[in-house]
Structure formats: structure tokens, C-alpha cells
Amino acid sequence: MQIQIRELQEEDTKALAQIEEEAFSMPWSEQDFKELLKHPYCFYLVALAEGRIAGCCGFTNICHEANIDNVVVAGQYRNLGIAQAMLGELIKRGDGMGVEAYTLEVRASNVPAIHIYEKAGFRSEGIRPGFYEKPREDALIMWRR
């Protein structure tokens, strides 16, 4: 399967909102994704598989530190290396923009995501107690420096 990774465009937002709805208990809306496009400090990529939106990831860049706000892959495209590919491209592009460090939060129980982040060089450096809702759960704070 051929995967294409490119920058988020407005026409991607509806499909991404649908992927979010299926993946998360507190999904981002189509409008949330559209808002990202208005901010020069936000940078998002989408992955296309078989010509369809398969997922996205992106960050908010503040003072050369990027907070990875979202990584999501549609259910039918999981376990195919798409999240890893998007994350690698996101870091490559962020480095080119002068990002010096990356951080993210991940549910403490989300072992598959933690594994992907560790493969990309992230390390757990703390816990945010009760960070997530629906269900309530701690978040691991991970950094790549």
C-alpha cells in the first residue's frame, strides 16, 4: 500500500473529524481542524492511503518547542506504519522549522502509541494525574530532545 504524507488542507477536515469520532471519546470537530489552518504556529500533516485520508498528526510550535497535539489513524489503516511515518515526517519538518524539542501526552494505558513514540525517540518524563476524561486516566508526559 502506498502512503502519501502532505500538509493538512481545508478539504481534509471533514474526513479527519469522522476519524476522530471513531477513535476518541472526546474527538476534535471539523471546525477544530479548520481553526488549525488559521494559526502560523500550528503545523499538521495528513496521511493518504489508497487516495483516502488515513490519519493526521501535528504540533503547536511555541518558542522552538513543539507540543504534538494530535496523532490519529483510521481504524482500517492501523498497524501499517502510518502513525510512525507521519510522526517521522512531522519531526523532520519541525527540525527544518527550528524546533528543538517535542513533547506530547499519551494515555498511560495506550501501549501501542507509547511504543510508536519510543521508537521515534520520545521518553517518558512525568505523569499528569487525571489528565484524560471519558474515561478518567493519567497521561504520560513524553519528550524528544
Side-chain angles (χ1 to χ4, degrees):
M1 175 183 315
Q2 185 160 349
I3 305 299
Q4 177 190 3
I5 298 173
R6 62 162 170 74
E7 289 185 37
L8 172 67
Q9 299 171 4
E10 187 165 350
E11 58 266 19
D12 304 329
T13 59
K14 185 174 183 176
L16 288 175
Q18 291 171 338
I19 292 169
E20 284 270 318
E21 186 73 33
E22 294 168 4
F24 298 126
S25 62
M26 298 182 69
W28 287 13
S29 68
E30 182 177 357
Q31 189 58 41
D32 292 331
F33 284 106
K34 286 181 179 180
E35 285 296 315
L36 296 171
L37 294 168
K38 297 177 182 178
H39 304 295
Y41 50 84
C42 292
F43 182 76
Y44 270 72
L45 297 173
V46 296
L48 291 94
E50 304 168 333
R52 296 179 55 202
I53 300 293
C56 81
C57 70
F59 60 66
T60 300
N61 183 7
I62 300 173
C63 298
H64 305 289
E65 286 188 353
N67 184 70
I68 297 178
D69 308 306
N70 196 333
V71 178
V72 66
V73 175
Q76 69 266 35
Y77 296 113
R78 289 191 189 138
N79 301 312
L80 299 174
I82 293 173
Q84 193 76 50
M86 286 191 304
L87 195 57
E89 184 66 18
L90 185 70
I91 291 168
K92 177 182 164 188
R93 299 228 197 155
D95 288 351
M97 296 174 190
V99 172
E100 298 169 0
Y102 300 83
T103 188
L104 56 84
E105 291 93 7
V106 60
R107 283 186 181 272
S109 65
N110 193 343
V111 175
I114 293 166
H115 180 68
I116 289 168
Y117 301 140
E118 287 175 341
K119 283 175 61 175
F122 286 82
R123 298 294 169 251
S124 179
E125 293 190 16
I127 295 175
R128 289 196 201 285
F131 181 77
Y132 288 102
E133 299 175 16
K134 297 182 183 179
R136 192 135 197 87
E137 186 175 353
D138 295 348
L140 295 181
I141 305 165
M142 301 185 80
W143 281 89
R144 182 181 193 274
R145 302 176 199 258

